[in-house]
Amino acid sequence: MSVLEEMRIRSLGVIDDAVVELSPGFTAVTGETGAGKTMVVTSLGLLLGGRADPALVRVGAKAAVVEGRITVSPGDAAALRAEEAGGEIEDGALIVSRTVSAEGRSRAHLGGRSVPVGVLAELADDLVAVHGQTDQQGLLKPARQRQALDRYAGPGVEGPHTAYAAAYRRLRAVVTELDELTTRARERAQEADLLRFGLEEVAAVEPLPGEDTELAAEAERLGHAEALASAAALAHTALAGNPEDPEGLDATTVVAAAGQSLDAVRAHDPALAALADRIGEISILLSDVAGELAGYADQLDADPLRLAAVEERRAALTALTRKYGEDITAVLAWAEDGASRLTELEGDDDRIGELTAERDALRGELSALGQRLTDARTEAADRFAAAVTEELASLAMPHARVSFAIRQSEAPDEESGIDIGGRSVLYGPSGADEVELLLAPHPGAQPRPIAKGASGGELSRVMLAVEVVFAGSDPVPTYLFDEVDAGVGGKAAVEVGRRLAKLARSAQVVVVTHLPQVAAFADRQLLVEKTVDGSVTRSGVTVLEGEDRVRELSRMLAGQEDSETARAHAEELLATARTDG
């Protein structure tokens, strides 16, 4: 079993530098109000991944540091989680530390390895159960009472609850989509009409990819056909000559003459032969260009009817690009997307039918799962209430009776509810049950919600009884109670101390208390006290033994360490605790 052996606290609140040595059994932390007892709880909270508040850093210090040493056994959940995070365990001890700077930065270390703070929080789930007066207030809320019952019920509720939660989430998604389809039906119909009109326009024109670019080039050519033909003819004449003017010079003839003049002497000089070859290449190129010019002029279409047809087609394409895309390629892409969207919109009626059927099926499934949850909670509630009632008898409330009221609220109509026990009832993410913890403090008293029927001391004992019951069904190695004995006194306080000592036989128990009756039952009592050293307030934590412990219990009893009556009472309390142990 994992045990928190000690914590070192530096520059946290009123504590300058102190070491808290904890017993593996029952440790009581005592001290005067304001001495810093709650800093012990705060320190443990930081080690467990709690929120880092820079206001906790001692004035003048750069950072607050809390270090804890936890003994672990191989295979413990804490050991496994530390190893997963890369931490090291030395001689069976796991070192956990948390640093909070005055600027608000926070760092966490586990087994010598820097880890996210969330890893410490995960570790805490298997290590420590922390309970304070805020937890008592939380227990007053019905939602927390339902959570407590579900936690106690274990797999009996967990199984149907997991299935119910999944079905509930799916139902919410289905209902949301269904509402959107039905409430936006008019908008979607209008969108479908616009898409249908646009697709019909595109289909009527039947554009081809790149057609707009090709037609633009053809229109440019047809619009300047005469100029292009005249230029081609002049260029052809310049290259190949005019048959009607035999005396005229042309490039082909001139180049041929140049080649002939060199051919006659090329054999005498390789350099000149190379030039002659190049002139031959030029002559061939001129002949090719002249031939293509002749062909271009013959193929050039100057038909005004063709130009009119091209411009008409371009106008039709332009009408599409003005509405649906910057060019025909974009228009065709829009048409493809639009057709897909139209198919989706036209399928709304079918989709509405599918979703309606799924919604009804899910509500039926939730009804069945909700009934299983109600039955499982009802069965667990009887066992839970009996166990807590039995614990209260050990806490000086022998006649108190705890029970649970499990009820459901009627739904205003069938559409907003699920069927539980033949009734249409309201439901939520955790089922249809409203769970409330009731207390009858004495015979003849009517059970009332603990928020109304329990005094502060009774609520403290109910809280402790609930935690003790949890310890038997869902144990953790360490329990920390921060003044959960508030409002308790006299014989009831003795019974609280006795019950905490009993719990400490199977787990480590740390209690911050102001009650001597509780502290007397501890295996170890720590005193938190302030001293004044100039302008610096320091706080030390010491283990009380022998006479020192008697003096502290006397102070807690009567406010006077040297009162003979208080001392006698303190010694009597210690003797009673030793006898019970």
Side-chain angles (χ1 to χ4, degrees), residues 110-152:
L110 180 63
R113 176 65 62 88
S114 178
V115 296
V117 174
V119 173
L120 299 189
E122 294 173 11
L123 194 71
D125 292 339
D126 297 313
L127 274 181
V128 182
V130 181
H131 295 284
Q133 296 186 53
T134 54
D135 297 278
Q136 292 183 18
Q137 298 302 315
L139 192 62
L140 299 179
K141 300 176 182 178
R144 286 287 297 276
Q145 294 170 18
R146 177 187 53 72
Q147 291 170 4
L149 176 58
D150 288 355
R151 175 185 166 194
Y152 176 81

Side-chain angles (χ1 to χ4, degrees), residues 494 516-517 553-554 557 564-574:
V494 173
Q517 296 94 330
L553 291 175
S554 299
L557 282 164
E564 290 299 325
T565 302
R567 288 178 58 83
H569 192 183
E571 290 173 348
E572 182 181 0
L573 280 174
L574 287 170

